Short mmCIF file of all heavy atoms in Angstrom, two decimals:
data_model
loop_
_atom_site.label_atom_id
_atom_site.label_comp_id
_atom_site.label_asym_id
_atom_site.label_seq_id
_atom_site.Cartn_x
_atom_site.Cartn_y
_atom_site.Cartn_z
N MET A 69 -2.77 70.22 -39.41
CA MET A 69 -2.51 70.22 -37.97
C MET A 69 -3.31 71.34 -37.33
O MET A 69 -3.51 72.39 -37.93
CB MET A 69 -1.01 70.42 -37.69
CG MET A 69 -0.12 69.29 -38.18
SD MET A 69 1.61 69.53 -37.70
CE MET A 69 2.03 70.98 -38.70
N PRO A 70 -3.76 71.16 -36.08
CA PRO A 70 -4.50 72.22 -35.40
C PRO A 70 -3.59 73.40 -35.05
O PRO A 70 -2.39 73.23 -34.85
CB PRO A 70 -5.02 71.53 -34.13
CG PRO A 70 -4.06 70.41 -33.90
CD PRO A 70 -3.64 69.94 -35.26
N GLY A 71 -4.18 74.59 -35.01
CA GLY A 71 -3.41 75.77 -34.64
C GLY A 71 -2.67 76.37 -35.82
O GLY A 71 -3.08 77.37 -36.39
N MET A 72 -1.60 75.73 -36.23
CA MET A 72 -0.78 76.19 -37.35
C MET A 72 -0.59 75.01 -38.31
O MET A 72 0.03 74.01 -37.96
CB MET A 72 0.59 76.69 -36.85
CG MET A 72 1.46 77.31 -37.93
SD MET A 72 3.15 77.66 -37.32
CE MET A 72 2.82 78.68 -35.88
N ASP A 73 -1.15 75.13 -39.51
CA ASP A 73 -1.03 74.00 -40.43
C ASP A 73 0.37 73.95 -41.07
O ASP A 73 1.19 74.85 -40.90
CB ASP A 73 -2.12 74.02 -41.50
CG ASP A 73 -2.01 75.21 -42.45
OD1 ASP A 73 -0.95 75.85 -42.51
OD2 ASP A 73 -3.00 75.50 -43.14
N GLY A 74 0.61 72.87 -41.80
CA GLY A 74 1.92 72.67 -42.40
C GLY A 74 2.32 73.74 -43.39
O GLY A 74 3.50 74.10 -43.50
N TYR A 75 1.34 74.28 -44.11
CA TYR A 75 1.64 75.33 -45.08
C TYR A 75 2.22 76.57 -44.39
O TYR A 75 3.19 77.17 -44.85
CB TYR A 75 0.38 75.72 -45.85
CG TYR A 75 -0.20 74.60 -46.70
CD1 TYR A 75 -1.56 74.31 -46.66
CD2 TYR A 75 0.62 73.85 -47.55
CE1 TYR A 75 -2.09 73.29 -47.44
CE2 TYR A 75 0.09 72.83 -48.32
CZ TYR A 75 -1.27 72.55 -48.27
OH TYR A 75 -1.79 71.54 -49.04
N GLU A 76 1.61 76.95 -43.27
CA GLU A 76 2.09 78.12 -42.53
C GLU A 76 3.47 77.86 -41.93
O GLU A 76 4.35 78.74 -41.91
CB GLU A 76 1.10 78.50 -41.43
CG GLU A 76 1.54 79.66 -40.55
CD GLU A 76 1.72 80.97 -41.30
OE1 GLU A 76 1.22 81.08 -42.45
OE2 GLU A 76 2.37 81.87 -40.76
N VAL A 77 3.69 76.65 -41.45
CA VAL A 77 5.00 76.29 -40.90
C VAL A 77 6.07 76.40 -41.99
O VAL A 77 7.14 76.97 -41.77
CB VAL A 77 4.98 74.86 -40.33
CG1 VAL A 77 6.39 74.45 -39.88
CG2 VAL A 77 4.02 74.76 -39.16
N CYS A 78 5.77 75.87 -43.17
CA CYS A 78 6.72 75.92 -44.28
C CYS A 78 7.00 77.37 -44.67
O CYS A 78 8.15 77.73 -44.93
CB CYS A 78 6.17 75.13 -45.46
SG CYS A 78 7.32 75.00 -46.85
N ARG A 79 5.96 78.18 -44.72
CA ARG A 79 6.15 79.59 -45.08
C ARG A 79 7.10 80.28 -44.11
O ARG A 79 8.00 81.02 -44.52
CB ARG A 79 4.79 80.31 -45.08
CG ARG A 79 4.85 81.74 -45.58
CD ARG A 79 3.49 82.43 -45.47
NE ARG A 79 3.09 82.62 -44.08
CZ ARG A 79 3.55 83.60 -43.32
NH1 ARG A 79 4.41 84.48 -43.79
NH2 ARG A 79 3.14 83.71 -42.06
N ARG A 80 6.93 80.01 -42.82
CA ARG A 80 7.79 80.64 -41.82
C ARG A 80 9.22 80.11 -41.89
O ARG A 80 10.18 80.86 -41.70
CB ARG A 80 7.22 80.41 -40.42
CG ARG A 80 5.87 81.09 -40.21
CD ARG A 80 5.48 81.11 -38.75
NE ARG A 80 4.13 81.64 -38.57
CZ ARG A 80 3.62 81.96 -37.40
NH1 ARG A 80 4.35 81.84 -36.29
NH2 ARG A 80 2.38 82.43 -37.31
N LEU A 81 9.35 78.82 -42.17
CA LEU A 81 10.69 78.24 -42.33
C LEU A 81 11.44 78.90 -43.48
O LEU A 81 12.63 79.22 -43.37
CB LEU A 81 10.59 76.73 -42.56
CG LEU A 81 10.18 75.86 -41.38
CD1 LEU A 81 9.88 74.45 -41.85
CD2 LEU A 81 11.27 75.84 -40.31
N LYS A 82 10.74 79.12 -44.59
CA LYS A 82 11.38 79.67 -45.78
C LYS A 82 11.63 81.17 -45.67
O LYS A 82 12.46 81.71 -46.39
CB LYS A 82 10.52 79.37 -47.02
CG LYS A 82 10.36 77.88 -47.31
CD LYS A 82 11.70 77.17 -47.38
CE LYS A 82 11.55 75.66 -47.54
NZ LYS A 82 12.87 74.97 -47.55
N GLN A 83 10.95 81.84 -44.75
CA GLN A 83 11.18 83.27 -44.55
C GLN A 83 12.37 83.54 -43.64
O GLN A 83 12.90 84.65 -43.62
CB GLN A 83 9.93 83.92 -43.95
CG GLN A 83 8.79 84.11 -44.94
CD GLN A 83 7.59 84.78 -44.30
OE1 GLN A 83 7.43 84.78 -43.08
NE2 GLN A 83 6.72 85.35 -45.13
N ASN A 84 12.79 82.53 -42.89
CA ASN A 84 13.88 82.68 -41.94
C ASN A 84 15.19 82.24 -42.60
O ASN A 84 15.31 81.12 -43.09
CB ASN A 84 13.60 81.82 -40.70
CG ASN A 84 14.59 82.06 -39.58
OD1 ASN A 84 15.76 82.40 -39.81
ND2 ASN A 84 14.14 81.89 -38.36
N SER A 85 16.18 83.13 -42.62
CA SER A 85 17.45 82.83 -43.29
C SER A 85 18.16 81.63 -42.66
O SER A 85 18.96 80.96 -43.33
CB SER A 85 18.37 84.05 -43.23
OG SER A 85 18.70 84.38 -41.89
N LEU A 86 17.89 81.35 -41.40
CA LEU A 86 18.56 80.25 -40.71
C LEU A 86 17.91 78.90 -40.98
O LEU A 86 18.52 77.86 -40.72
CB LEU A 86 18.58 80.51 -39.20
CG LEU A 86 19.28 81.80 -38.75
CD1 LEU A 86 19.19 81.96 -37.24
CD2 LEU A 86 20.74 81.81 -39.19
N THR A 87 16.68 78.89 -41.50
CA THR A 87 15.97 77.62 -41.72
C THR A 87 15.49 77.42 -43.15
O THR A 87 14.97 76.36 -43.48
CB THR A 87 14.76 77.52 -40.77
OG1 THR A 87 13.87 78.63 -41.01
CG2 THR A 87 15.20 77.54 -39.32
N ARG A 88 15.65 78.44 -44.00
CA ARG A 88 15.07 78.36 -45.33
C ARG A 88 15.68 77.29 -46.21
O ARG A 88 15.07 76.84 -47.19
CB ARG A 88 15.18 79.71 -46.03
CG ARG A 88 16.59 80.18 -46.30
CD ARG A 88 16.61 81.61 -46.78
NE ARG A 88 17.96 82.12 -46.96
CZ ARG A 88 18.26 83.43 -46.98
NH1 ARG A 88 17.30 84.32 -46.87
NH2 ARG A 88 19.51 83.81 -47.14
N ASP A 89 16.90 76.84 -45.88
CA ASP A 89 17.56 75.83 -46.71
C ASP A 89 17.30 74.41 -46.24
O ASP A 89 17.82 73.46 -46.84
CB ASP A 89 19.07 76.09 -46.75
CG ASP A 89 19.41 77.37 -47.51
OD1 ASP A 89 18.65 77.71 -48.44
OD2 ASP A 89 20.43 78.00 -47.18
N ILE A 90 16.53 74.25 -45.16
CA ILE A 90 16.20 72.89 -44.71
C ILE A 90 15.17 72.30 -45.67
O ILE A 90 14.09 72.87 -45.87
CB ILE A 90 15.61 72.90 -43.29
CG1 ILE A 90 16.58 73.54 -42.30
CG2 ILE A 90 15.27 71.47 -42.85
CD1 ILE A 90 16.01 73.67 -40.89
N PRO A 91 15.46 71.16 -46.29
CA PRO A 91 14.48 70.55 -47.21
C PRO A 91 13.21 70.14 -46.46
O PRO A 91 13.27 69.60 -45.35
CB PRO A 91 15.22 69.32 -47.76
CG PRO A 91 16.67 69.57 -47.46
CD PRO A 91 16.71 70.40 -46.22
N VAL A 92 12.06 70.40 -47.08
CA VAL A 92 10.78 70.06 -46.48
C VAL A 92 10.01 69.12 -47.42
O VAL A 92 9.89 69.39 -48.62
CB VAL A 92 9.93 71.31 -46.22
CG1 VAL A 92 8.52 70.92 -45.74
CG2 VAL A 92 10.60 72.21 -45.19
#
Side-chain angles (χ1 to χ4, degrees):
M69 295 184 292
M72 186 188 305
D73 66 16
Y75 296 133
E76 177 62 16
V77 175
C78 185
R79 186 184 67 80
R80 295 193 186 191
L81 289 169
K82 297 307 174 182
Q83 285 181 340
N84 188 330
S85 63
L86 301 178
T87 58
R88 64 189 176 201
D89 291 330
I90 302 176
V92 174

